[in-house]
């Protein structure tokens, strides 16, 4: 859903604005990132719905990419879950303030959407999705470890 060009643009924005969690965009390979980020909304949303949400919230795509990576590489605790959602909100505020002057109504709409998406992520389906993302990553790491052990023999 996200192209390599968009990923590079996201890295530049995240670095220039010093977004929280931006290091994940630089620590992981393009392939890893592109396989994990899916735009705004959970992976179980249809892609067409996520594309629509992205279209109406372009300022929040970069924060959502960081958020997706945080959920995939999280430690599975409620504390990390809560903090990743709060970071999404704070990063969204930064993008709103960067993209729009103080007098533009869109600035406050993007800020509201950041708050609202954070609030929605904190609901029960968000916690379940977070735990599923962490578990999926752990299983994949375990499978890679097993493959590596089989190759060594």
């Amino acid at each position: 859903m996200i192209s390599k060009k968009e990923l590079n643009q996201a890295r530049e924005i995240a670095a220039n604005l010093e977004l929280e969690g931006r290091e994940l965009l630089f620590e992981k390979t393009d392939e890893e990132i592109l396989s994990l980020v899916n735009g705004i909304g959970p992976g179980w949303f249809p892609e067409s719905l996520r594309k629509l949400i992205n279209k109406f919230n372009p300022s929040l795509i970069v924060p959502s990419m960081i958020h997706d990576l945080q959920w995939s590489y999280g430690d599975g605790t409620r504390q990390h879950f809560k903090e990743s959602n709060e970071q999404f909100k704070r990063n969204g505020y930064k993008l709103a303030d960067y993209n729009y002057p103080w007098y533009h109504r869109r600035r406050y709409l993007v800020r509201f959407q950041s708050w609202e998406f954070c609030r929605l992520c904190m609901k029960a389906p968000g916690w379940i999705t977070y735990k599923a993302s962490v578990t999926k990553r752990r299983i994949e790491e375990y499978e890679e470890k097993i493959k590596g052990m089989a190759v060594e023999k």
Side-chain angles (χ1 to χ4, degrees):
M1 180 156 181
I2 304 290
S3 70
K4 283 190 178 189
K5 180 181 176 184
E6 290 168 322
L7 174 57
N8 289 330
Q9 290 170 340
R11 285 175 171 146
E12 187 175 328
I13 291 167
N16 289 341
L17 297 181
E18 298 180 355
L19 298 181
E20 296 176 55
R22 66 188 174 276
E23 62 280 351
L24 289 170
L25 292 171
F26 297 93
E27 291 173 355
K28 307 301 177 188
T29 67
D30 290 359
E31 291 72 27
E32 283 177 287
I33 294 170
L34 295 173
S35 73
L36 296 171
V37 299
N38 61 14
I40 302 169
W44 48 268
F45 273 11
E47 186 173 342
S48 59
L49 178 57
R50 288 193 313 272
K51 282 183 178 182
L52 185 64
I53 296 169
N54 287 351
K55 180 179 178 179
F56 289 112
N57 298 280
S59 294
L60 299 179
I61 293 173
V62 175
S64 77
M65 292 171 73
I66 294 169
H67 190 252
D68 286 348
L69 294 171
Q70 287 176 323
W71 279 29
S72 293
Y73 292 101
D75 61 14
T77 64
R78 286 258 184 204
Q79 179 61 35
H80 182 264
F81 168 72
K82 182 177 186 253
E83 183 56 29
S84 67
N85 293 328
E86 291 292 328
Q87 279 185 5
F88 175 87
K89 179 177 69 175
R90 291 189 298 267
N91 285 339
Y93 287 177
K94 281 186 180 183
L95 266 293
D97 295 350
Y98 176 77
N99 288 328
Y100 303 100
W102 68 267
Y103 54 83
H104 199 291
R105 63 187 165 97
R106 184 86 175 133
R107 177 181 193 156
Y108 302 100
L109 178 61
V110 173
R111 284 177 143 262
F112 172 76
Q113 286 301 97
S114 300
W115 173 83
E116 180 68 4
F117 288 151
C118 172
R119 187 184 71 76
L120 290 170
C121 285
M122 292 300 291
K123 301 278 185 192
W127 172 246
I128 293 166
T129 303
Y130 170 79
K131 289 295 283 185
S133 295
V134 170
T135 301
K136 181 178 183 258
R137 182 209 13 111
R138 288 178 176 166
I139 289 170
E140 288 170 355
E141 287 175 351
Y142 180 75
E143 288 172 345
E144 285 298 316
K145 187 176 180 180
I146 297 293
K147 281 182 191 175
M149 292 170 62
V151 169
E152 288 176 8
K153 289 182 178 182

